[in-house]
Amino acid sequence: MLKTEKLQINIGPQHPSTHGVFRMLVTIDGETIVDLVPVFGYLHRNHEQIAEVNTYLQNMPYTDRLDYFNSMANNHAYALAVEKLAGIEVPERAEYIRVIMVELTRILNHAGALGFLINDMGAWQTQLAFGMREREKILDLFELVSGARLMCNYFRFGGVARDLPAEFVPKLRELMVAMPTFVDELERLLRENEVLLQRAVGIGILPKELAISYSVTGPVLRGSGIAYDIRKAEKYSVYDRFDFDVPVGSVGDVYDRFLVRIEEMRQSRRILEQALTQLPDASGGHINPKARQNVRPPVGDAYARIESPKGELGFYLVSDGSSKPYRYKVRAPSFINLTPLGDMCRGYKIADVVVILGSIDIVMGEVDR
């Protein structure tokens, strides 16, 4: 039998146009992964330290830059933490508007993530074009309400920056009509595709016990068969008023994580339909109470979390009674979900590493915060 020496190689640091500036220190025996150590820090921007010299409101646009694919979700988690700390109530209409924005964000995220995943396999560009096309339609809606497509800075303490323009709901309903066709076509294109099956089935398995021990959340956890979703477990905002399912996998491989994200897009559409039906009219109170923006929360601390598209996004804030947080800490899903990467890659081939990484769905902006 031919014996080979173990070799240590660097994969990365990658250019930001990939999944971010990230390095993997990989030990291989031939083509087989023996060990893998993720190396972070190439995109560190002092986010948490900057937040401690800004006022609470000044930090809102900074949250956009965490997972820069999902600024609306970032805004939501931070707003909930400040509201919990300061005891601020949110009008019903604003709660529904928030849910609409975050569920649109979930669809946008998964459509892009699945396209990038197939790209990581070295397959064709069609599915990425499909995902980007749908993403652009959602970004059009975000631009309508916030004036921005990527860094929306839309949420405010006690509500949102401004109410929905008159053309928003008709355009959203139009999108909802076409969305089942998009998701069905995307699934039909990929589900039985031999490239996806060869590169995803049985690859990057994360057993449920290991997923729990690493505190993994989001589609990565649910792909391992754990039906845990903060929208169900904690029922923040108005999520207790919606009927939706939590899709789970059975094996915990790349293929299961793909299937979970496909089904989550359908469930988000289901929530959006209910939110539009239940949306209160504009007479239910100011959705942007300006008096609450220059907050000075009482001395204390608070932690608030949401089910972001990538998993549990939480903000821990400590107040000393001033207009700035004494301590500001982010619990970022991309960072936590990266921690089992070594275990997920061990025993697989070098070519599988990029696919496994793609199936986690990370943005380095919230890893190196």
Side-chain angles (χ1 to χ4, degrees), residues 134 137 169-184 269 272-273 276:
E134 212 64 20
K137 294 175 185 176
V169 171
K171 283 183 179 293
L172 177 55
R173 290 194 184 280
E174 187 179 320
L175 180 67
M176 292 296 99
V177 170
M179 192 165 292
T181 302
F182 157 69
V183 179
D184 292 345
R269 180 189 177 275
L272 285 166
E273 292 280 9
L276 283 176

Side-chain angles (χ1 to χ4, degrees), residues 67 129 142 151 174 178-179 192 196 213 298 316 346 365:
D67 178 359
F142 287 174
M151 309 298 178
E174 187 179 320
M179 192 165 292
E192 302 300 327
L196 181 68
S213 68
Y316 174 68
R346 199 170 291 119

Side-chain angles (χ1 to χ4, degrees), residues 92-245:
E92 264 200 350
R93 181 173 172 83
E95 291 280 26
Y96 277 92
I97 292 172
R98 288 178 169 191
V99 166
I100 288 169
M101 298 307 158
V102 175
E103 293 310 315
L104 283 171
T105 298
R106 199 177 315 279
I107 295 168
L108 170 157
N109 179 84
H110 291 352
L114 295 178
F116 290 127
L117 174 62
I118 309 305
N119 251 21
D120 289 339
M121 295 177 183
W124 62 97
Q125 297 275 344
T126 306
Q127 73 295 323
L128 182 56
F130 272 23
M132 291 297 103
R133 180 190 67 188
E134 212 64 20
R135 178 175 180 262
E136 285 300 306
K137 294 175 185 176
I138 295 173
L139 293 182
D140 287 343
L141 293 173
F142 287 174
E143 189 174 13
L144 267 180
V145 298
S146 73
R149 300 174 69 80
L150 199 63
M151 309 298 178
C152 296
N153 185 25
Y154 181 57
F155 286 48
R156 294 292 182 270
F157 311 135
V160 291
R162 59 192 63 83
D163 207 343
L164 301 176
E167 63 268 38
F168 180 87
V169 171
K171 283 183 179 293
L172 177 55
R173 290 194 184 280
E174 187 179 320
L175 180 67
M176 292 296 99
V177 170
M179 192 165 292
T181 302
F182 157 69
V183 179
D184 292 345
E185 283 182 350
L186 187 65
E187 183 175 14
R188 192 164 61 248
L189 178 68
L190 298 175
R191 188 179 187 120
E192 302 300 327
N193 179 268
E194 60 181 304
V195 175
L196 181 68
L197 294 176
Q198 287 288 329
R199 301 298 307 278
V201 174
I203 302 298
I205 295 174
L206 181 64
K208 60 174 66 175
E209 297 79 11
L210 197 59
I212 293 170
S213 68
Y214 273 111
S215 298
V216 163
T217 54
V220 179
L221 177 68
R222 292 188 284 275
S224 295
I226 307 294
Y228 180 78
D229 188 310
I230 298 169
R231 294 171 296 175
K232 292 277 192 181
E234 198 165 288
K235 296 182 179 177
Y236 59 92
S237 193
V238 287
Y239 276 106
D240 58 333
R241 304 180 189 184
F242 305 127
D243 182 29
F244 65 99
D245 300 322

Side-chain angles (χ1 to χ4, degrees), residues 48 51-52 56 300 317-328:
E48 294 180 356
E52 291 167 9
Y56 287 93
L317 301 174
V318 178
S319 171
D320 59 1
S322 71
S323 60
K324 304 171 184 178
Y326 175 78
R327 182 70 178 100
Y328 172 106

Side-chain angles (χ1 to χ4, degrees), residues 4-17:
T4 60
E5 289 187 6
K6 293 177 183 176
L7 180 66
Q8 198 170 68
I9 63 172
N10 284 295
I11 302 178
Q14 304 297 100
H15 188 273
S17 65

Side-chain angles (χ1 to χ4, degrees), residues 161 260-261 297:
V260 164
R261 291 188 176 100

Side-chain angles (χ1 to χ4, degrees), residues 67 70 73-74 77 102 106 109-110 218-219 222 230-231 236 264 305-313 333-334 366:
D67 178 359
N70 300 318
N74 303 342
V102 175
R106 199 177 315 279
N109 179 84
H110 291 352
R222 292 188 284 275
I230 298 169
R231 294 171 296 175
Y236 59 92
E264 283 193 5
R305 60 182 184 154
I306 68 162
E307 185 66 43
S308 87
K310 291 177 171 61
E312 179 178 335
L313 173 62
S334 288
E366 68 176 13

